[in-house]
Amino acid sequence: MVGAINMESHPFPSPWPHKYHVLEPSPGGRLILEESDGGVMSEVPAERLACHITQWLRLHNVPEWCVTDQKALTIAKSWQMSADALPPKMLKSLRWASEPGYCWDRLPWDLGGYGQDCPTWDSLLSRMTNVPAFLAFIGSLFYDQSSLQNYCWVHGDGNDGKGAINRFLAKVFGKSYRSKQPPDRGGKIGNWLYSLIGSRLVVFPDCNNASFAASGPFKAMTGGDPVEFEAKFKMPFTDRLNCKFIFFSNEKPNLSSERADMRRVIYCEFTEQGTYDPAFEDKLWAEGGAFISSCCQLYLNDYPKHGPIKSDTEAIASLVSENEEHFETFFEQHFLPAPEDRRQSRDLQGLQLSDLKKYAVMPGDLSRLIQTFDRRGQSEFRSWLRRQRGVYKTSVAVYDGQRLSTVAKVYAGIMMREWRN
């Protein structure tokens, strides 16, 4: 039976009618794929293959060839363990209509149609900011070698076109599209990640977790780091994802001024609502082939080496400034920049403790003031001080009037406003 599934010689009078393959993304992590027309693959459980085995053997009308469900499952798993694995590079996330090869899904168009008019798309995108980066991001989705570092966050108050774009992309990417919500905080993420296998585009519609994009797990997914996949009753395995992410949300992302946060996001915002047109989404689809071809051409022109996409840094800086405004306000209430000649730790060496307190902030004073924040907020404020003000905790030798007697820990570069007052 294993030989029949492999399309090898076998004693049965009729050929095996199905096409199955094995994918081994990491040693021991074997997945069963079922091939449909056009070389399109679907990941299926062993039970699916077992059903086909049972049905096919029964059709021969030979009682001795009929098997129980457990025997069929044993055959399926034996084949899964012994079959030659499909090289991962042979399986693309998406292929064009006439493009040969295996894929998770196939487009209804061929690449072409550059420069064709797309009036419906033009009307939609005329109300969005950061359009060049958005178009390049859409184009990058069709090239598996494109950088995974970028993700797209599209913000709008509603009735603006976010849902129409989402539904268009879902139709384009088919099985390689996933609609998800961020995983529960503190929960096991392995099962959530397993559901992304075979995806190229993961969309978070109406995302209400504005901080997820800045979390460690999401940074690992978009940084190309290996992640652990886990499913019930299956052996966990580690591999890298090759999917990209779009957030559609009525909220703005809660990002910090960390370089990693600012360089990865492609932030787009709808500035006004659209007008109702019952045929609007049909028009988007009719222009879909030309629109995607134009996105691909723009992406290849600007990023021929498939590097990270450049975004509108001014918009991101304004967004981050809003997110960190409470830190800025708190800083201005309690602190001042130290004088120019007292900002470096070397400028503070040898001062008496009473003078040192005038030109730097003691750890106890900082801890007392930031008690208004919770523990996480305290840590984030210290990080903000390092990023935005260049303030670090440093060691300074203190003079007691006769000699350098002790070493004090201080935050150099800022001073307490109360001392100036």
Side-chain angles (χ1 to χ4, degrees), residues 84-105:
D84 292 334
L86 192 71
K89 291 184 178 180
M90 290 183 63
L91 180 58
K92 288 186 63 176
S93 300
L94 202 65
R95 291 188 186 274
W96 298 96
S98 302
E99 182 184 0
Y102 297 126
C103 57
W104 291 106
D105 226 309

Side-chain angles (χ1 to χ4, degrees), residues 119-125 127 160-165 167 274-287:
T120 313
W121 280 103
D122 292 342
S123 172
L124 173 63
L125 297 177
R127 297 181 279 107
D160 43 31
K162 297 192 304 294
I165 296 174
R167 288 185 288 273
T275 55
Y276 177 71
D277 179 357
F280 181 70
E281 294 190 27
D282 291 335
K283 294 177 182 177
L284 290 180
W285 183 255
E287 299 170 10

Side-chain angles (χ1 to χ4, degrees), residues 152-158 160 162-163 181 203-210 246-254 267-270:
C152 192
W153 189 292
V154 182
H155 168 259
D157 293 328
D160 43 31
K162 297 192 304 294
Q181 286 297 325
V203 171
F204 298 90
D206 299 320
C207 179
N208 55 11
N209 184 350
I246 298 181
F247 294 79
F248 292 105
S249 180
N250 294 341
E251 299 183 29
K252 297 181 179 181
N254 187 12
Y267 177 68
C268 306
E269 186 171 3
F270 277 101

Side-chain angles (χ1 to χ4, degrees), residues 30-42:
R30 292 197 145 211
L31 309 176
I32 298 178
L33 307 183
E34 184 176 3
E35 179 185 347
S36 57
D37 292 342
V40 177
M41 301 291 190
S42 300

Side-chain angles (χ1 to χ4, degrees), residues 185-326:
R185 292 184 178 92
K188 294 183 68 174
I189 197 173
N191 290 338
W192 187 88
L193 289 171
Y194 190 88
S195 67
L196 303 186
I197 291 175
S199 67
R200 178 55 176 167
L201 175 62
V202 180
V203 171
F204 298 90
D206 299 320
C207 179
N208 55 11
N209 184 350
S211 300
F212 177 61
S215 67
F218 185 74
K219 288 180 179 178
M221 285 185 274
T222 54
D225 298 329
V227 294
E228 184 175 71
F229 300 90
E230 185 176 355
K232 287 185 178 180
F233 313 118
K234 291 188 178 183
M235 180 187 301
F237 62 92
T238 300
D239 196 19
R240 289 177 172 84
L241 289 167
N242 194 35
C243 54
K244 307 185 81 166
F245 300 87
I246 298 181
F247 294 79
F248 292 105
S249 180
N250 294 341
E251 299 183 29
K252 297 181 179 181
N254 187 12
L255 302 176
S256 72
S257 52
E258 286 186 17
R259 186 179 301 176
D261 281 357
M262 297 185 67
R263 67 177 169 78
R264 294 183 310 120
V265 63
I266 295 173
Y267 177 68
C268 306
E269 186 171 3
F270 277 101
T271 56
E272 58 183 273
Q273 295 182 343
T275 55
Y276 177 71
D277 179 357
F280 181 70
E281 294 190 27
D282 291 335
K283 294 177 182 177
L284 290 180
W285 183 255
E287 299 170 10
F291 170 71
I292 291 175
S293 294
S294 296
C295 291
C296 290
Q297 186 64 45
L298 184 150
Y299 170 72
L300 290 176
N301 288 344
D302 293 347
Y303 306 95
K305 296 184 179 180
H306 303 286
I309 295 170
K310 296 178 182 179
S311 187
D312 182 353
T313 56
E314 183 177 346
I316 297 170
S318 298
L319 171 66
V320 168
S321 178
E322 288 181 18
N323 292 339
E324 297 183 337
E325 195 172 80
H326 59 300

Side-chain angles (χ1 to χ4, degrees), residues 3 21 37 39 110 137 164 177 243 247 274 291 350 358 392 412:
H21 305 270
D37 292 342
D110 278 318
F137 181 82
Y177 166 96
C243 54
F247 294 79
F291 170 71
K358 295 179 182 179
Y392 292 85

